[in-house]
Amino acid sequence: MARVAAQVIVLNGGSSSGKTAIARCLQAILPDPWLTLGTDMLVEAMPAAMQESASGIEFAGDGGISVGPQFRAVEAAWIAGIAAMARAGARIIVDEVFLGQAASQQRWVTALGDLPVLWVGVRCDGAEAARREQARGDRVTGMARSQADLVHQGVTYDLEVDTTSAPAQECARAIAGRAA
């Protein structure tokens, strides 16, 4: 497997798949400082009015998520801002959930342009992700199971890791081994 002199590492996986834990481990083992920015931060930064509206983002009782035009506009600015930070020299780990599958990845590909990116799929069995979701208690029940496979459909990766039984540290070491 080829190594990538990454400026950006994109971790894509469903809710409760272990992306954030892997990102924290990567920050500890990679040389140079790496910033972690994720979709949860974007949602938390949005005004409350956008967090439960059809034009913003809505979380259904069954774990489904729908986004509207205001969300897409803010998301586009968020992605462009992260790309600008990387172009300015920051090394960035993106903690993402590609709800739009290949279209979500394409938004990032377009924004990141010629920056060196390591694309990583973070997989976790739906039942295990649901167990973690329940234990966390801070997610809408059903989100983890519904996203476990959905977010990977049509997405292309340089590397995939599976956190169903592998700890975050082990997955991070595998990723770090590919990020030159």
Side-chain angles (χ1 to χ4, degrees):
M1 291 187 178
R3 292 175 58 86
V4 175
Q7 184 73 26
V8 178
I9 299 172
V10 177
L11 304 176
N12 174 52
S15 179
S16 299
S17 63
K19 299 177 308 296
T20 303
I22 290 171
R24 293 292 176 227
C25 289
L26 282 168
Q27 287 179 307
I29 65 175
L30 287 170
D32 303 317
W34 285 74
L35 303 175
T36 296
L37 300 168
T39 193
D40 288 346
M41 293 173 124
L42 169 61
V43 172
E44 289 170 14
M46 290 180 177
M50 279 185 66
Q51 292 185 22
E52 286 301 324
S53 74
S55 64
I57 185 168
E58 292 183 299
F59 299 90
D62 65 357
I65 298 173
S66 59
V67 298
Q70 282 185 326
F71 178 89
R72 287 289 178 224
V74 171
E75 179 191 44
W78 171 261
I79 292 170
I82 291 173
M85 290 172 60
R87 282 191 185 82
R91 294 184 180 280
I92 299 175
I93 301 166
V94 177
D95 178 341
E96 186 57 274
V97 181
F98 288 168
L99 293 175
Q101 301 97 5
S104 294
Q105 184 177 35
Q106 189 55 52
R107 284 191 283 278
W108 280 99
V109 167
T110 300
L112 296 172
D114 61 354
L115 287 166
V117 179
L118 180 65
W119 298 94
V120 181
V122 179
R123 294 191 179 267
C124 183
D125 175 73
E128 174 59 19
R131 185 197 65 74
R132 293 176 189 175
E133 173 183 75
Q134 186 68 29
R136 289 173 68 164
D138 66 348
R139 300 283 188 227
V140 175
T141 301
M143 198 173 357
R145 187 179 299 274
S146 70
Q147 294 175 4
D149 293 320
L150 173 76
V151 301
H152 300 291
Q153 293 174 3
V155 178
T156 303
Y157 299 113
D158 298 306
L159 174 68
E160 293 186 46
V161 295
D162 190 330
T163 66
T164 304
S165 58
Q169 185 72 23
E170 181 180 317
C171 294
R173 280 193 299 269
I175 295 165
R178 293 286 307 276

